[in-house]
Structures are given as C-alpha cells and as structure tokens.
Amino acid sequence: MTMTNAMIYIHIPFCDSKCFYCNFASGIYDDNTKKKYFDKLIDEIKFNATKDFNITSIYIGGGTPSSVDADFISRIIQVIKENYIVDKNAEISMEANPCSLSKEKLLKYKQIGINRLSIGVQSLDDNCLKLIGRRHTKKEAIEKIKLAKSCGFENINCDVLIGIPSQNYRKLKNTVKNLVRLKVSHISAYMLINEPNTLLTKKIENNEVKTVNEDKCVVFYDKIVKFLHRHGYERYEVSNFAKDNKMCKQNLGYWLGTDYLGFGLASHSYVNGERYFNTSNLKEYLNSDFNYKKHKLSNQEKIEERIMLGLRTKFGVSIETLKNLGYDITKSKKNELYMLKSNNFITINDNKIIVNKNKFGVLNQIILKLLP
Ligand SMILES: C[S@@+](CC[C@H](N)C(=O)[O-])C[C@H]1O[C@@H](n2cnc3c(N)ncnc32)[C@H](O)[C@@H]1O
Ligand code: SF4
C-alpha cells in the first residue's frame, strides 16, 4: 500500500523585535511564556500523532524560530520523528533572522536535521532596513549567510521585499546582486504589503515615510525577474526563484494541493478536503484542548483553490484534476482558453494549463477568466 504524502507546519510566534510592516502572529514574550508554549506545542503534536502519512516536508516558521533556544527546536523535531513517519529525504526548513543566528545554533540545526534555511534579509541597504524596523545591517545579514554556508547549509532562501520606503531600483538590484554573489539557492521576492494595524501603515498615514509608487514596484519586479533569470534562478512561482531546481517543497506542496498538518498558534491544517483552524490568541492556545474549528471544502471551493494556487506555479493546473472535481474546463471555458492561448497568456501542455512566465503580472485577470 502506498502512503499519502503530507507535510507538517510548525508555528513559532516569537520574535526579538517587531518589524514595522509585519502583522504575522508573532510578538515579544518572556522565557516563561516560551516554555509554556513549547510544552503545549509538543502536546499538540503528540495529540495528533498518526502513521497514516509519509511526511515529505517539515517547515518551522513564525515569527522567528531562530530567536528561541535551539534545544526547543531540537525537541520539536524529535517529537515529530517519534510520532509521524518522516520520509528519509524530507525537506526540513526553518525560518531565521540574521540577528539571532550564531555558529553554535547553526551547527545544532544541522545536527538535528534541518536542511533548508529561510533567512529574512528583506534588503541589503542600511537605510531601507532602518525604515522598516529591521535590527540587522547589510553587513550582519551577509556575514550570517556566509556563516550558514560555512556550517554546511547548501539550501538557503533569502526573503527580499520590494517597495520598501526609500528603495529605488539601484538599491534593490544591489540587494539581489549581493545574494546572487553569495550563491544562495533560493530567493523569495515579495511586494511589501501595507498591512492594517502596523507601525509602517501608521507612519505612512502620518506622512512620516513615503511609499514607493505601485507602478514603479511592478517595473522593479519585472527587471528583477530578468536579472535573476540571467543568473540561473528560475521563477517557479509568482514570488519564488530557485537555482539548480532547489524549489521549496513545502510551498510547492501548498500550491499543488498536498495535505498538511499545522501545529501551533494561528496554524491550520488541510487533510482530506477539510481545513482545521487553530486559534490565533496565545492565551486561548495555551489553554486549548485542540478542539479545532473545521471547514469542509465544497467542490466549488476546491476547484477555485486548484485554479488560483496551481496557476501561480510553473506546473500550472491539471485539467484532469479539475475534471475529477466535476469541472470540465475545456468545455466550460473553451472560448476563454482559446483566447488566452492564442494571445500567449497561457500554454496547454501535457493536459495542464500553465500561465506563461511573462504574464504573471496579469495572473489575477487570467484566473478570473477561468474560474467556474
Ligand atoms: C516569518 S518572516 C521570516 C523570518 C524572520 N521572522 C525574519 O523576518 O527575519 C516571513 C517573511 O514574510 C515577509 N513579510 C512579512 N510581512 C510582510 C508584508 N507586510 N509584506 C510583504 N512581505 C511580508 C518577509 O519577507 C518575511 O521575511
Ligand atoms: S518580519 Fe519576521 S522578525 Fe519581523 S516581526 Fe515579522 S516575523 Fe518577526
């Protein structure tokens, strides 16, 4: 019998400081709260124990997992391995902030099986970093990437933000150029979103900082895509670029519909077409008996998700999968598909609809045309 593949996501809601733009479920807490949280997280991982899945990827995200004692992370991985079947080739990723990485921690991560690091670099321009409340400098970020490499990490992602106040194309290109020089295997380039209730949004509203014009950001993005392409980084998803095929298994899994189990504050799971939600209130989580809110996806919702997520990737959406969900897109959207194909917006290959890479800028419009 072949086992279904699945992935595990672990949320660590702790940071050493709160960046001005971020509204993720994360904050600054004392050691006692951290200890209680990890005890609860371990309870939750054990509570859901199952040997029904082959776990192909584990992703420890946050917040900032590197900000806590490495022994906490070690314990989490150990408990997962004791309670689930983890594939011997599983990707085990962890998010890190340059400020909290040290040689000692990195060697420990390596020893416990973490084989992919995702480092929040955001920018390699000191003024940009300051304006968004990052505590590290360009120098520190570069040093920590080099340190991670010297500790044996070959698979390193760096997050980069586009549209940081004061950013221009020269600053952005310099950031990406430095990362290319450092030969990181993966770059995630996100458009900065001005989230509600963040200090950055308040500063913008009070005219303390100026946003970068949206049209300019689109131009920056197009240029960066070309720059990365010239240097061997393939855009395999709207915001993600990989060298030597080092795509992030976990993110690909989300986009392509693999089941996943999420543990920790504000996490959610997707198993057998059903979504399970954890609370995003820390007090509630610490007292939780893991009685998750549930939502069974309707066929319509499944179809919409497949289209919206699949089209974000270079793998596209499978016509067969949609048919199995009751949506014969080749019949229902015959004219739209013909129009999109003949105008070079999409390719239909191997029974898959794939958005052409130079058309990701109009992805939303393409999706709207193809939704049932
Ligand atoms: C959990 S953090 C990464 C690790 C670590 N906490 C750090 O920041 O160094 C995930 C990533 O989400 C992105 N992000 C957070 N807030 C964002 C926003 N408002 N707009 C766009 N990207 C954002 C950042 O690039 C950040 O690195
Ligand atoms: S961007 Fe990362 S370090 Fe900054 S507040 Fe958000 S999770 Fe924490």
Side-chain angles (χ1 to χ4, degrees):
M1 198 184 82
T2 52
M3 259 194 293
T4 311
N5 287 342
M7 317 186 291
I8 289 181
Y9 173 78
I10 302 288
H11 190 76
I12 311 295
F14 307 118
C15 289
D16 290 325
S17 61
K18 192 79 190 168
C19 307
F20 299 166
Y21 54 87
C22 180
N23 78 346
F24 284 29
S26 71
I28 303 148
Y29 294 92
D30 57 50
D31 288 348
N32 189 34
T33 309
K34 286 182 188 168
K35 193 186 165 309
K36 277 194 204 153
Y37 182 81
F38 278 97
D39 287 345
K40 195 75 191 176
L41 190 55
I42 285 166
D43 284 351
E44 188 185 13
I45 296 169
K46 288 183 180 168
F47 177 83
N48 288 283
T50 169
K51 305 274 178 180
D52 287 353
F53 300 111
N54 176 45
I55 303 296
T56 53
S57 166
I58 300 171
Y59 194 101
I60 306 172
T64 305
S66 62
S67 70
V68 300
D69 196 307
D71 285 338
F72 283 132
I73 306 293
S74 167
R75 181 94 183 95
I76 294 295
I77 291 183
Q78 190 193 330
V79 175
I80 293 175
K81 286 186 173 163
E82 284 164 5
N83 290 277
Y84 300 81
I85 297 169
V86 178
D87 193 280
K88 67 176 191 328
N89 294 318
E91 176 179 280
I92 308 183
S93 299
M94 197 193 84
E95 288 182 339
N97 183 298
C99 297
S100 48
L101 280 176
S102 64
K103 186 173 179 181
E104 202 189 354
K105 279 185 180 171
L106 283 160
L107 291 174
K108 178 96 186 176
Y109 299 151
K110 190 84 193 144
Q111 185 209 328
I112 59 179
I114 290 169
N115 50 30
R116 183 177 184 275
L117 282 180
S118 178
I119 306 178
V121 169
Q122 322 308 352
S123 172
L124 290 174
D125 177 87
D126 285 338
N127 193 38
C128 283
L129 288 169
K130 217 167 155 187
L131 284 172
I132 54 171
R134 298 290 291 184
R135 285 232 184 131
H136 57 87
T137 56
K138 165 186 179 177
K139 186 167 172 274
E140 185 170 16
I142 291 177
E143 275 170 10
K144 295 299 170 67
I145 296 168
K146 285 184 178 165
L147 185 63
K149 293 194 108 189
S150 73
C151 290
F153 285 93
E154 288 164 5
N155 199 355
I156 298 178
N157 166 60
C158 291
D159 288 339
V160 169
L161 289 175
I162 297 178
I164 299 175
S166 90
Q167 193 178 50
N168 53 31
Y169 184 63
R170 184 186 53 79
K171 290 179 182 181
L172 175 63
K173 189 174 167 191
N174 254 331
T175 295
V176 177
K177 209 172 175 180
N178 273 293
L179 297 178
V180 168
R181 258 195 219 131
L182 288 162
K183 297 192 171 70
V184 298
S185 52
H186 192 286
I187 293 175
S188 299
Y190 302 118
M191 289 283 196
L192 179 64
I193 300 166
N194 297 323
E195 299 282 3
N197 307 318
T198 59
L199 194 56
L200 183 65
T201 299
K202 222 177 262 168
K203 281 174 181 277
I204 291 167
E205 282 164 6
N206 293 340
N207 288 323
E208 286 171 46
V209 288
K210 258 181 80 184
T211 51
V212 183
N213 174 291
E214 232 178 277
D215 293 340
K216 255 191 194 169
C217 290
V218 173
V219 175
F220 289 177
Y221 210 107
D222 282 348
K223 288 188 181 176
I224 286 303
V225 171
K226 288 186 184 119
F227 178 81
L228 283 172
H229 183 73
R230 282 200 299 279
H231 289 86
Y233 290 79
E234 188 193 18
R235 187 186 201 183
Y236 69 99
E237 193 268 349
V238 176
S239 314
N240 287 283
F241 304 81
K243 215 168 74 155
D244 307 327
N245 223 19
K246 288 218 169 74
M247 295 175 277
C248 175
K249 273 194 193 173
Q250 182 95 2
N251 284 342
L252 264 184
Y254 293 142
W255 297 313
L256 300 177
T258 310
D259 282 359
Y260 58 89
L261 306 165
F263 303 128
L265 190 72
S267 66
H268 43 91
S269 306
Y270 180 70
V271 182
N272 289 329
E274 195 154 13
R275 195 151 277 143
Y276 300 75
F277 301 89
N278 234 328
T279 172
S280 32
N281 178 307
L282 186 59
K283 239 191 196 158
E284 254 176 52
Y285 179 74
L286 294 177
N287 293 312
S288 159
D289 52 4
F290 314 126
N291 193 6
Y292 305 111
K293 273 198 190 127
K294 292 180 198 168
H295 173 68
K296 196 160 181 61
L297 270 73
S298 66
N299 248 22
Q300 173 79 9
E301 285 173 317
K302 282 185 197 162
I303 293 165
E304 287 174 4
E305 271 206 0
R306 280 303 85 244
I307 294 176
M308 288 195 284
L309 296 178
L311 289 183
R312 293 181 66 92
T313 73
K314 70 165 187 168
F315 301 101
V317 60
S318 151
I319 292 173
E320 203 56 35
T321 304
L322 296 178
K323 212 180 239 172
N324 291 339
L325 290 167
Y327 183 45
D328 190 345
I329 195 165
T330 53
K331 278 200 184 133
S332 309
K333 297 285 171 181
K334 193 173 169 204
N335 294 339
E336 287 83 349
L337 287 172
Y338 175 78
M339 189 279 292
L340 289 168
K341 205 175 150 205
S342 46
N343 287 298
N344 285 324
F345 284 97
I346 59 164
T347 302
I348 300 184
N349 202 352
D350 201 14
N351 231 7
K352 289 196 176 98
I353 303 166
I354 298 162
V355 172
N356 292 338
K357 280 182 189 157
N358 57 345
K359 301 293 184 205
F360 275 137
V362 288
L363 177 65
N364 288 343
Q365 287 92 316
I366 297 175
I367 289 173
L368 280 177
K369 290 215 175 299
L370 299 179
L371 287 177

